[in-house]
Amino acid sequence: MIESFLISILGGGYAALGIIYIATGNILWGFLTLTLSAVYFFGFEKVLGSGKEHKASHILTGGIFALIASGFLIIEWLVSLLSEPVKPTTVDWWFLGVSVVAFLGFLFARKKFV
Amino acid sequence: MADIVALVGNPNVGKTSLFNALTGSRQYVANWPGVTVSRKEGIRRWRGREIKFVDLPGIYSLGALSLDEKITREYIINEAPEVVVVVVDALNMEQGLYLLLEVLEMRENVMLVVNAIDEARKRGVYINKYELEKHFGVHTVLTSAVTGEGVTELLDKILHMLTSKQVHSLVEITYPEEVEDKINKIVEIIRKKKELHSYKPRWLAVKFLEGDAQVLELLKSCGIEDEISQEEHEKYRSLIASRRYEYIETVMKEAVSSKMEKMSFSEAIDHVMTHRFLGIPIFLSFMYLAFKFTFDVMAPFSELIDSGMAALGDWLRNVMGDGWATSLVVDGVIGGVGGVLVFVPNIFGMFLALGFMEEFGYLPRAAFVVDRLMYKLKLSGRSFMSLILGFGCNVPAIMSTRGIGDPRERLITILVSPFITCSARLPVYLLLVGALFRGKEAAMIFIIYLSSMVLTALSSILWNKILFKGEPVPLIMELPRYRLPTLKNLMLYVWDRGKHFLEKAGSIILIASILIWILGYFPNAGDINTSFAAHMGKALEPIFRPLGFNWKMVTALIFGMAAKEVVVSTFSMLYGFSDEAAAALHQAIAADFTPVTALAFIFFVMAYIPCFATIAAIASESGSWKWAWWSVLYSLSVAYVLALIIVVVGGMIA
């Protein structure tokens, strides 16, 4: 139950952010965010059989992916303080917020299934 | 003289980690197969005795199908090390034990090391080393090269084998009766041949039955003809392999107990990472992140070096005053070498990103994901693994093709490797993209790299259609476990690859910068438009006029043949004689190039003549200068046509 909830929330969240990124001209980051969304939504691929473990593997991978992408964003902001500071946009903050949930999902799936 | 101990094992079982632990070396340990392309040696003095350890390329069998297997097999036969240590992975022992059986058939004094025992314990896998010793007749040590567990015991056991007079490892596996009958007959014939006395007759007989090309040739040279049909060889090969696996299975049942219940972390992640639909977008996303890191994250560091170089130039000009010596130091050395050093953070950043993916264990997955695509190009994921090394430098990429068993696929991979954008070309892209595509740098660099991959793919299709028709050998590869990158190994990776760039800056780029300064300064004391460099560029300018390249760009391309970074040094000098500030260099370039010309120039640099070191590597690895010259001619033609297309299409759009 909780796995499906996480997949829906995170898949939907990243899908919305991906569309906003593309609409605002950040096409490549939008593509990356939509891929992240797909990683979660493909967790619904097999409803029968090894359902929970299948979902868990998507939550785990999505969590790692989100962690790496957010890490890169944060490092970029921190390093930019050396010269011209880059200002995160509202969508960037939302991306980080959703990624925190993605990481919590990762910790949950890791404890329960791996 | 030191005793020689050879380390043999499957790819990615931790041989190099163990080698480092045994010798105190600092060889970079990769988390993917095929990294050790030639042997590495290190000395360790242990309890008063000097031992030379040799780390051999990772192989799956001693079948001598690929160059790696040949190197390892020939080393064991010709160099006859005192002890051969077969290293197997505790979590994936079967294939390693298969190799052990082959080595045992080949020679005495063999040891078994079961590595990554700490990880096995964590996963609930327990290994009884006494059972392994009993069944294989070899000393066995359980180690963890990462924590150092078992290394002292291993050194003691090796020392024991070196000092005792006993001959170790005498277990032989018995094959089905029909195979044994044949082996016995062949052994009798072999024993009569004096020239074969240095080989183990049983090993030769088994290899003869398997139809091993090298052994068949060896026996033929001694008058033993192969009268067995291909089908029969196939049958014997299958019977021998089945018996070996049967034996291994029996041993595993007694020696290994497992309490694994949950799915492993790697299994869970691979379910998604190697997914047939998700795999490619995930790969592209990771590549984009790598280039974003290379440009956006590293940009402030580049700017710091840039300001430092400009300040140094100003200070020297004030101290030294005007004159040719000042111009040589400021315009020649600081302008030329400094112009390239500005991009050091970007290059180190790219290696950091690639190193992270490699350390994490993602790159072999990427090879697996693109294998289907590569198959359509008549290559395999194994070629992709070599090509991706080319992002660092094309020379190791070409060297690593030694692990490709199929000679056709190997040659195609060697010939298309120079199209993969190496780190030397990155400064040229960064300079032009920074000058003409401001604000879109990371996206542009990503697109340029993708284009270089597409160009590589198209070239391999062409080579395959014209010169080397055939089907690739399917990729069979063990995916290594995911692991958290360690800072030490990551830094080692970055330094190992990045130092090459710094060495070049202090050698070839420095010499080239001085040479370019001389050609740019004389004969009219700094009048660049009447300099020797201008004459040289202007002489060739008509050839490049259809591409929109002026004489400065042509001169940069000529010097760039030595090493691609020299293109940047040349620009720094040709555009920077009057003003040394890098911002002014960007402005000067932006004034001289249009976005279309810049793009045409970038694609020309991407494709044209590989540097001298790469040309030499092509010649040595393909075994012929013919292919090296062919590669030069081909790349030059492709570069010209590509740039022309960009200029024509770009002109129409603009």
Side-chain angles (χ1 to χ4, degrees), chain B residues 147-168:
Chain B
T147 63
E149 180 185 341
V151 173
T152 307
E153 186 192 346
L154 175 59
L155 282 162
D156 282 338
K157 286 262 169 78
I158 290 171
L159 195 64
H160 169 71
M161 286 183 80
L162 291 171
T163 48
S164 70
K165 299 269 183 243
Q166 281 174 273
V167 173
H168 299 265

Side-chain angles (χ1 to χ4, degrees), chain B residues 27-272:
Chain B
Q27 295 289 344
Y28 169 69
V29 183
N31 192 20
W32 70 336
V35 172
T36 312
V37 288
S38 57
R39 64 173 195 249
K40 293 181 182 114
E41 295 177 357
I43 301 261
R44 175 71 179 259
R45 181 167 276 280
W46 186 250
R47 304 201 198 281
R49 194 154 177 147
E50 206 164 73
I51 306 169
K52 182 162 98 177
F53 287 94
V54 181
D55 181 21
L56 293 164
I59 51 168
Y60 287 105
S61 80
L62 289 172
L65 283 174
S66 72
L67 199 57
D68 287 348
E69 289 172 0
K70 276 183 199 152
I71 289 173
T72 302
R73 190 161 105 173
E74 277 164 19
Y75 183 84
I76 295 174
I77 295 170
N78 300 333
E79 305 294 322
E82 272 77 16
V83 176
V84 172
V85 176
V86 178
V87 186
V88 304
D89 181 353
L91 280 168
N92 195 0
M93 288 174 64
E94 287 89 343
Q95 197 63 42
L97 293 177
Y98 188 92
L99 182 66
L100 171 71
L101 285 177
E102 283 195 290
V103 178
L104 283 172
E105 257 168 7
M106 200 179 185
R107 55 163 289 147
E108 275 104 25
N109 286 352
V110 178
M111 268 188 80
L112 173 63
V113 165
V114 182
N115 194 34
I117 196 69
D118 54 332
E119 286 190 46
R121 267 189 225 120
K122 265 188 224 160
R123 300 265 329 265
V125 176
Y126 296 93
I127 295 161
N128 184 339
K129 72 171 183 176
Y130 302 107
E131 283 294 331
L132 292 171
E133 285 186 340
K134 189 175 92 188
H135 286 95
F136 291 111
V138 293
H139 284 303
T140 302
V141 183
L142 308 181
T143 65
S144 163
V146 177
T147 63
E149 180 185 341
V151 173
T152 307
E153 186 192 346
L154 175 59
L155 282 162
D156 282 338
K157 286 262 169 78
I158 290 171
L159 195 64
H160 169 71
M161 286 183 80
L162 291 171
T163 48
S164 70
K165 299 269 183 243
Q166 281 174 273
V167 173
H168 299 265
S169 4
L170 290 166
V171 164
E172 259 172 13
I173 127 167
T174 315
Y175 294 110
E177 210 177 319
E178 59 172 313
V179 180
E180 283 295 334
D181 286 348
K182 269 278 186 203
I183 289 174
N184 292 335
K185 278 179 196 160
I186 300 165
V187 165
E188 268 181 44
I189 300 168
I190 290 170
R191 284 217 169 104
K192 287 176 193 157
K193 304 282 177 186
K194 275 186 184 166
E195 54 271 54
L196 296 174
H197 278 184
S198 57
Y199 297 92
K200 258 179 113 176
R202 187 176 169 84
W203 176 72
L204 282 180
V206 171
K207 286 286 155 201
F208 180 83
L209 284 181
E210 285 182 324
D212 184 288
Q214 275 190 334
V215 170
L216 289 179
E217 207 173 298
L218 174 73
L219 296 194
K220 196 179 173 185
S221 69
C222 301
I224 303 171
E225 289 293 331
D226 176 21
E227 285 162 3
I228 300 172
S229 69
Q230 204 52 44
E231 289 76 28
E232 275 184 296
H233 276 310
E234 198 63 54
K235 186 187 83 183
Y236 287 124
R237 202 160 34 231
S238 162
L239 284 170
I240 290 167
S242 303
R243 176 68 189 115
R244 283 176 186 155
Y245 278 118
E246 210 177 275
Y247 189 79
I248 290 165
E249 205 184 315
T250 315
V251 178
M252 291 281 287
K253 270 183 195 157
E254 293 183 33
V256 183
S257 60
S258 170
K259 287 179 188 165
M260 283 195 283
E261 282 166 5
K262 290 178 175 177
M263 62 178 169
S264 78
F265 186 73
S266 290
E267 278 165 8
I269 305 293
D270 275 343
H271 179 69
V272 184

Side-chain angles (χ1 to χ4, degrees), chain B residues 342-580:
Chain B
V342 163
F343 299 105
V344 164
N346 303 99
I347 286 168
F348 276 64
M350 190 184 70
F351 286 134
L352 194 62
L354 283 178
F356 183 88
M357 287 200 276
E358 185 174 321
E359 274 284 281
F360 182 54
Y362 178 67
L363 284 188
R365 269 83 186 175
F368 180 80
V369 163
V370 300
D371 184 52
R372 201 178 316 161
L373 192 70
M374 298 293 280
Y375 200 81
K376 286 185 182 147
L377 309 176
K378 308 294 178 194
L379 294 175
S380 72
R382 184 63 193 79
S383 296
F384 173 81
M385 284 154 71
S386 290
L387 292 174
I388 215 156
L389 285 178
F391 283 136
C393 176
N394 291 155
V395 175
I398 290 168
M399 301 268 289
S400 76
T401 60
R402 290 176 182 183
I404 301 173
D406 178 11
R408 180 199 67 86
E409 190 179 337
R410 182 166 181 248
L411 191 53
I412 294 181
T413 311
I414 289 173
L415 293 175
V416 300
S417 285
F419 287 126
I420 289 289
T421 281
C422 62
S423 58
R425 276 170 262 192
L426 187 59
V428 186
Y429 304 161
L430 291 171
L431 179 69
L432 292 172
V433 165
L436 286 128
F437 301 96
R438 253 195 131 58
K440 297 182 188 118
E441 291 93 339
M444 281 302 293
I445 298 290
F446 176 61
I447 290 165
I448 293 164
Y449 270 76
L450 268 190
S451 307
S452 94
M453 285 194 246
V454 171
L455 187 60
T456 310
L458 292 175
S459 288
S460 69
I461 293 176
L462 193 71
W463 286 112
N464 192 73
K465 283 222 187 293
I466 297 172
L467 288 169
F468 316 103
K469 286 183 183 162
E471 290 299 316
V473 177
L475 172 74
I476 302 168
M477 182 176 77
E478 264 172 55
L479 295 176
R481 288 183 291 281
Y482 287 102
R483 68 181 183 202
L484 209 59
T486 63
L487 191 66
K488 184 188 161 195
N489 214 21
L490 207 53
M491 290 302 122
L492 212 55
Y493 177 95
V494 174
W495 178 244
D496 250 18
R497 281 147 182 83
K499 74 174 179 201
H500 176 62
F501 186 78
L502 292 177
E503 282 163 4
K504 271 166 92 183
S507 54
I508 190 165
I509 295 169
L510 176 65
I511 294 166
S513 298
I514 293 172
L515 185 70
I516 299 161
W517 178 85
I518 292 170
L519 293 172
Y521 191 83
F522 295 107
N524 295 320
D527 180 7
I528 193 79
N529 292 310
T530 56
S531 65
F532 292 127
H535 286 302
M536 205 162 70
K538 282 172 185 170
L540 290 173
E541 195 186 358
I543 302 172
F544 292 91
R545 201 165 289 143
L547 309 182
F549 297 173
N550 63 25
W551 70 265
K552 289 179 183 174
M553 302 174 199
V554 176
T555 309
L557 288 175
I558 296 168
F559 288 118
M561 285 192 286
K564 295 279 163 77
E565 303 94 326
V566 178
V567 171
V568 173
S569 309
T570 315
F571 277 151
S572 299
M573 269 181 270
L574 297 184
Y575 286 105
F577 259 110
S578 55
D579 195 336
E580 68 284 355

